[in-house]
């Protein structure tokens, strides 16, 4: 997100400066006649046009996924722009909450049609965002052309969206399509992730989901962010089952591959969950302090999610030796159910938070006034 905004600003400044230079035959005359007030005004207008265009193009991009997904037999699960999330709750009704994913401006998640051995329809759903940006930019150009500053900026942002999502880069739409086309294993992992998210949105817990959704699918032809996603979901299931040592082993393996993991959100999640399990299972491990200071984890901890309060509580208990703060964080985390992206994840976090409360209170490790909802 930050990189993309930087590209927009730099490109806009270069384009604006180039336009000024191109508009004057003699640069010395141009500088001499420069109206500073007008220049500032133009820069402000360009900046506002960039922000509005960027926001609109993100909405258009995610709507493209939604429309093409529905056309391909998918069903709506959630729609996020920046940190505003609209999702179906466990009663099938729409609910608005806040949830951000580092490195992304938006996301439209949908429930896929039934999986077939020959694969499942995913290209139209994934290409939908790029197609929507291209069509919207073309229509605006036809209507406004070069007569409107906003029109020019809107088209410019649209082209950047098409390029940055339509060419395979790190973890964008085109890259996912490319990976899915490389092997049936990658298609299966993609399908499992979408199916798990759909069930979690309905309030189904990880232990209640079909076993085949968590079966290990080997990385073919190589390890990618799809495999990281698969392993993190397996970690969630192991924690839901209470198999903390098995989850620890899997997180250790993930952490050893951290240099291969480009998605910022995954980096933060791995560092956080590994830090949390070390606090529980190996409280003297010197890596706890290092993991806690991981920039991606610190960024993740800014979100008011149940899991972030759990991690903060573990750190307060084990590292800060502040029992009162630890239990207050656990209690506060229990009040954040409505901040979770899915009801299934909220159930898992409530289970983990209450486990810690019960464990610490029963052992007399914490002096508390009782838990709260």
């Amino acid at each position: 997100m930050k990189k993309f905004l930087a590209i927009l600003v730099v490109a806009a400044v270069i384009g604006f400066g180039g336009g000024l230079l191109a508009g004057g035959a003699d640069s010395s005359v141009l500088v001499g006649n420069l109206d500073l007030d007008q220049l500032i005004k133009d820069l402000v207008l360009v900046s506002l046009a960039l922000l509005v265009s960027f926001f609109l193009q993100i909405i258009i991009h995610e709507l493209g996924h939604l429309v093409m997904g529905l056309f391909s037999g998918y069903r709506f699960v959630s729609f996020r722009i920046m940190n505003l999330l609209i999702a179906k709750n466990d009663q099938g009704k729409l609910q608005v909450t806040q949830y951000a994913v580092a490195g992304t401006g938006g996301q439209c998640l949908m429930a896929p049609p039934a999986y077939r051995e020959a694969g499942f329809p995913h290209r139209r759903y994934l290409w939908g965002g790029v197609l929507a940006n291209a069509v919207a930019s073309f229509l605006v150009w036809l209507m406004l052309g070069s007569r409107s500053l906003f029109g020019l900026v809107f088209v410019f942002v649209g082209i950047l969206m098409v390029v940055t999502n339509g060419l395979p880069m790190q973890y964008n739409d085109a890259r996912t399509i490319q990976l899915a086309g490389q092997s049936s294993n990658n298609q299966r992992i993609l399908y499992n992730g979408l199916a798990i998210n759909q069930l979690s949105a309905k309030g189904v817990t990880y232990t209640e989901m079909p076993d085949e959704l968590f079966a290990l699918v080997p990385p073919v032809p190589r390890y990618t962010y799809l495999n990281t996603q698969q392993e993190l979901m397996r970690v969630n299931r192991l924690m839901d089952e209470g198999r903390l040592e098995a989850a620890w082993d899997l997180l250790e393996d993930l952490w050893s591959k951290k240099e291969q993991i480009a998605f910022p959100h995954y980096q933060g999640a791995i560092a956080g969950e590994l830090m949390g399990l070390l606090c529980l299972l190996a409280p003297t491990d010197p890596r706890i302090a290092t993991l806690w200071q991981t920039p991606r984890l610190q960024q993740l901890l800014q979100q008011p999610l149940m899991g972030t309060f759990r991690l903060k509580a573990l750190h307060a208990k084990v590292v800060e030796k502040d029992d009162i703060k630890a239990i207050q964080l656990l209690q506060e985390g229990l009040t954040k159910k409505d901040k979770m992206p899915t009801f299934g994840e909220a159930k898992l976090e409530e289970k983990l938070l209450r486990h810690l409360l019960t464990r610490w209170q029963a052992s007399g490790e914490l002096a508390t006034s009782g838990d709260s909802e």
Side-chain angles (χ1 to χ4, degrees):
M1 173 71 71
K2 292 180 179 178
K3 290 182 179 179
F4 187 62
L5 282 173
I7 292 173
L8 283 178
V9 172
V10 171
V13 171
I14 293 174
F16 185 73
L20 283 176
L21 292 176
D26 187 336
S27 60
S28 62
V29 173
L30 175 64
V31 174
N33 294 331
L34 185 63
D35 186 334
L36 185 58
D37 290 339
Q38 184 61 42
L39 175 62
I40 294 175
K41 178 181 178 181
D42 290 342
L43 285 174
V44 170
L45 289 174
V46 169
S47 299
L48 288 174
L50 277 170
L51 290 174
V52 173
S53 297
F54 182 58
F55 184 72
L56 291 176
Q57 287 284 14
I58 289 178
I59 294 176
I60 290 168
H61 183 90
E62 300 308 329
L63 284 174
H65 286 305
L66 177 63
V67 172
M68 294 305 291
L70 292 172
F71 184 71
S72 303
Y74 286 66
R75 299 180 306 283
F76 176 83
V77 173
S78 66
F79 189 91
R80 179 178 60 82
I81 300 297
M82 304 299 188
N83 65 342
L84 182 66
L85 177 72
I86 302 173
K88 279 188 177 181
N89 60 23
D90 52 351
Q91 282 84 42
K93 298 181 180 179
L94 294 181
Q95 175 175 303
V96 180
T97 186
Q98 290 185 331
Y99 179 68
V101 178
T104 67
Q107 190 175 40
C108 176
L109 290 175
M110 305 187 74
Y115 187 82
R116 303 186 303 271
E117 287 304 319
F120 73 105
H122 60 276
R123 292 184 180 85
R124 285 184 297 195
Y125 166 53
L126 292 172
W127 277 126
V130 172
L131 178 62
N133 290 134
V135 171
S137 299
F138 178 70
L139 291 176
V140 168
W141 176 258
L142 286 181
M143 291 186 293
L144 301 177
S146 59
R147 302 184 302 275
S148 164
L149 171 64
F150 174 77
L152 284 172
V153 173
F154 183 86
V155 172
F156 168 73
V157 174
I159 292 172
L160 279 181
M161 291 282 286
V162 169
V163 171
T164 55
N165 288 283
L167 297 178
M169 300 177 186
Q170 290 188 320
Y171 45 85
N172 64 1
D173 295 329
R175 179 63 173 154
T176 301
I177 294 169
Q178 182 185 62
L179 293 175
Q182 289 178 351
S183 72
S184 59
N185 286 35
N186 286 341
Q187 286 192 38
R188 183 73 211 198
I189 296 172
L190 177 62
Y191 174 86
N192 287 350
L194 292 170
I196 289 171
N197 186 75
Q198 175 211 6
L199 292 172
S200 186
K202 290 181 176 181
V204 180
T205 64
Y206 289 96
T207 53
E208 296 170 337
M209 296 180 191
D211 293 340
E212 58 266 24
L213 294 179
F214 299 91
L216 180 62
V217 182
V220 176
R222 58 186 171 278
Y223 188 89
T224 71
Y225 58 85
L226 293 178
N227 302 101
T228 306
Q229 179 191 46
Q230 171 189 230
E231 291 175 319
L232 283 172
M233 289 181 174
R234 294 181 68 219
V235 167
N236 286 342
R237 193 178 213 222
L238 289 169
M239 293 182 71
D240 201 6
E241 294 171 340
R243 299 170 59 191
L244 300 187
E245 291 191 358
W248 179 15
D249 289 340
L250 186 48
L251 284 165
E252 289 282 13
D253 181 63
L254 278 169
W255 187 246
S256 71
K257 295 182 290 196
K258 60 181 179 294
E259 300 303 326
Q260 303 177 49
I261 298 172
F263 194 22
H265 188 74
Y266 291 167
Q267 294 173 355
I270 294 166
E273 294 304 339
L274 180 55
M275 187 278 304
L277 286 179
L278 288 177
C279 285
L280 282 172
L281 305 175
T284 60
D285 194 308
R287 292 176 298 164
I288 291 176
T290 303
L291 289 165
W292 178 257
Q293 294 300 327
T294 302
R296 297 301 186 188
L297 173 56
Q298 287 300 312
Q299 185 178 21
L300 189 63
L301 290 173
Q302 300 305 310
Q303 297 192 50
L305 302 173
M306 299 175 77
T308 62
F309 285 94
R310 170 172 54 85
L311 296 178
K312 290 177 181 178
L314 286 164
H315 186 268
K317 173 74 171 69
V318 175
V319 179
E320 302 171 38
K321 308 298 183 184
D322 190 334
D323 291 354
I324 295 177
K325 178 181 178 181
I327 200 143
Q328 288 176 340
L329 286 166
L330 291 178
Q331 292 173 333
E332 187 174 357
L334 287 170
T335 68
K336 304 298 181 181
K337 296 178 187 178
D338 61 333
K339 301 294 184 181
M340 297 298 290
T342 68
F343 282 84
E345 291 177 86
K347 287 182 179 180
L348 171 60
E349 286 298 340
E350 180 179 16
K351 180 178 182 179
L352 296 174
L353 287 166
R354 290 196 179 281
H355 170 76
L356 290 176
L357 279 170
T358 301
R359 171 177 168 174
W360 290 344
Q361 290 172 351
S363 64
E365 293 180 41
L366 292 172
T368 79
S369 58
D371 62 42
S372 62
E373 290 290 342

